[in-house]
Amino acid sequence: MGVVGLVANPASARDIRRLVADGSAVTTHDKLNIVRRVLAGLGSVGVERVLSMQDGGGISAGLASMVDRPSADTWPEVAFVNHPVTQTAVDTVSAVTSMVRAGVGAIVVIGGDGTNRKVLSACGDTPLMPLSTGTNNAFPQPAEASVAGIAAGLVALGRVRPVDAGTPARWLTVQHGARVHHAVVDVAVTRADGTGAGAVTDAAEVCELYLCLAEPHSIGLSAIGAHLRPVGRDDADGLIVRLGQPAVARVRAPIAPGRLVDVDVAAVQTLHANQPIRVTATAGVLAIDGERIFRFGPADVPMVTLHGNGPVVIDVARTMRHAACSGLLSLPPRRSPDRADRTCPQPPPTQPARGPAVALQASVPQEPTH
């Protein structure tokens, strides 16, 4: 029996970038629509059970009200992980920890980079299927939810091996005193006075970037490095970008929806895997995946390390192509009827229709004779 975990963040896509940029809102109704499509895809390949996170934002309540509808007859059985609901990121970590203990074969994550960061910190080697509902998302790749459900289900059921489904995630760890933070895209050092509203919306306050993923088609701070030296999901190393003067390059990067800014770059260098590096700045505020997290000073300068042995991130296109080429998407043909049933009855012989022909012939005017 295939079991799949489901994490849907009710708070994603609600940050300040709806005010200072052109970020679009994703409502609870929109997220429930994505959940419905995921469940339809999972059920279509035979996944029998889904373990969902509980929340206080309406996702789990809406899901509970949908499972008794006739349209849900083909869905897997839906159960909810038993964990305290705090309406914080702790809920995600607690739920994922329970899902892993229950032996889920894959986890579908409906949220942004921040949600996936929390999931990755607790999922071990369980494959992830991230679906974007945040703002500046580089970690989740665009995918239709129904097809993503099929792909996640095939992996959870063992029909597609993780090695054939995607690439192991790479991530950054930030050592700050006794605490360890994770990033799935970037770590930024900023000159801000405090964490404020969280989201980094002004590139001028950034002085250092540490990137484990920098794809030119992405949005956010990672686009600054991506426009100079792209870092793909299969690359072994990451990137360090130092901003400011004297500049060796300038890029115009989309750091938020509809917000493109010119950024001066002072240096670009390789961030090697498994080699801790100390942040250059002696004081500032550190942002993880675009969100300001904590302040540091000379006595507790953070260390950043790139890792490359994370859980497989399911690539929908890659998984579906492998499944199709392996015959996993073909259904058995319908049972052929008996020979007698295949004999089509002969239509009765038709008689020439004379009535209309006579009428047509009679209606032809005669030419006058002279």
Side-chain angles (χ1 to χ4, degrees):
M1 181 179 70
V3 184
V4 172
L6 175 64
V7 174
N9 183 2
S12 63
R14 295 182 180 177
D15 60 49
I16 196 174
R17 281 166 289 210
R18 274 109 202 113
L19 300 176
V20 301
D22 294 325
S24 58
V26 181
T27 66
T28 299
H29 175 79
D30 296 331
K31 294 170 187 175
L32 284 170
N33 183 280
I34 295 173
V35 170
R36 284 196 296 267
R37 286 180 277 157
V38 168
L39 292 173
L42 292 171
S44 73
V45 294
V47 172
E48 297 185 17
R49 196 161 187 255
V50 166
L51 293 179
S52 176
M53 181 182 79
Q54 296 189 69
D55 65 86
I59 302 294
S60 55
L63 177 55
S65 68
M66 293 190 303
V67 295
D68 294 328
R69 297 180 184 179
S71 60
D73 289 345
T74 59
W75 291 359
E77 172 196 354
V78 177
F80 294 91
V81 177
N82 186 17
H83 63 90
V85 177
T86 65
Q87 299 196 61
T88 68
V90 174
D91 295 348
T92 298
V93 176
S94 299
V96 170
T97 301
S98 297
M99 292 173 188
V100 173
R101 289 173 180 168
V104 297
I107 299 176
V108 177
V109 185
I110 299 174
D113 290 341
T115 308
N116 282 279
R117 177 174 71 246
K118 293 300 181 182
V119 172
L120 186 141
S121 70
C123 71
D125 59 358
T126 305
L128 303 181
M129 177 67 263
L131 291 173
S132 174
T133 58
T135 310
N136 286 22
N137 293 321
F139 187 79
Q141 294 183 294
E144 207 293 313
S146 307
V147 186
I150 295 173
L154 291 172
V155 173
L157 291 166
R159 297 177 189 167
V160 176
R161 299 180 304 165
V163 69
D164 295 320
T167 303
R170 297 183 311 136
W171 80 97
L172 299 165
T173 58
V174 180
Q175 185 79 40
H176 178 232
R179 302 187 64 181
V180 177
H181 303 267
H182 297 78
V184 294
V185 180
D186 57 64
V187 171
V189 180
T190 74
R191 304 182 185 91
D193 293 330
T195 56
V200 178
T201 58
D202 185 3
E205 72 179 55
V206 179
C207 55
E208 297 175 52
L209 281 172
Y210 300 84
L211 309 174
C212 64
L213 184 63
E215 296 176 316
H217 58 270
S218 294
I219 191 169
L221 295 177
S222 67
I224 297 172
H227 287 196
L228 292 171
R229 192 190 298 179
V231 177
R233 296 169 192 264
D234 294 325
D235 291 339
D237 297 321
L239 201 64
I240 302 173
V241 181
R242 307 192 192 282
L243 308 182
Q245 296 291 335
V248 297
R250 171 175 281 197
V251 296
R252 179 166 295 169
I255 64 167
R259 184 175 175 82
L260 288 91
V261 297
D262 293 346
V263 181
D264 290 326
V265 177
V268 179
Q269 66 186 86
T270 300
L271 175 62
H272 297 288
N274 304 315
Q275 296 183 14
I277 184 168
R278 187 178 299 275
V279 168
T280 302
T282 57
V285 172
L286 195 133
I288 295 177
D289 293 328
E291 302 289 333
R292 290 188 289 262
I293 303 296
F294 62 85
R295 170 178 287 281
F296 67 92
D300 58 352
V301 176
M303 300 284 291
V304 180
T305 308
L306 171 65
H307 305 272
N309 57 340
V312 165
V313 179
I314 300 171
D315 183 308
V316 175
R318 178 173 168 177
T319 303
M320 296 301 289
R321 180 176 178 83
H322 178 84
C325 293
S326 302
L328 299 176
L329 304 180
S330 300
L331 297 175
R334 292 182 179 180
R335 183 179 178 183
S336 300
D338 296 336
R339 185 184 182 96
D341 296 335
R342 292 203 306 266
T343 304
C344 297
Q346 297 296 322
T350 57
Q351 299 294 330
R354 297 178 180 176
V358 172
L360 180 61
Q361 186 176 10
S363 66
V364 177
Q366 301 292 325
E367 294 184 0
T369 57
H370 299 282

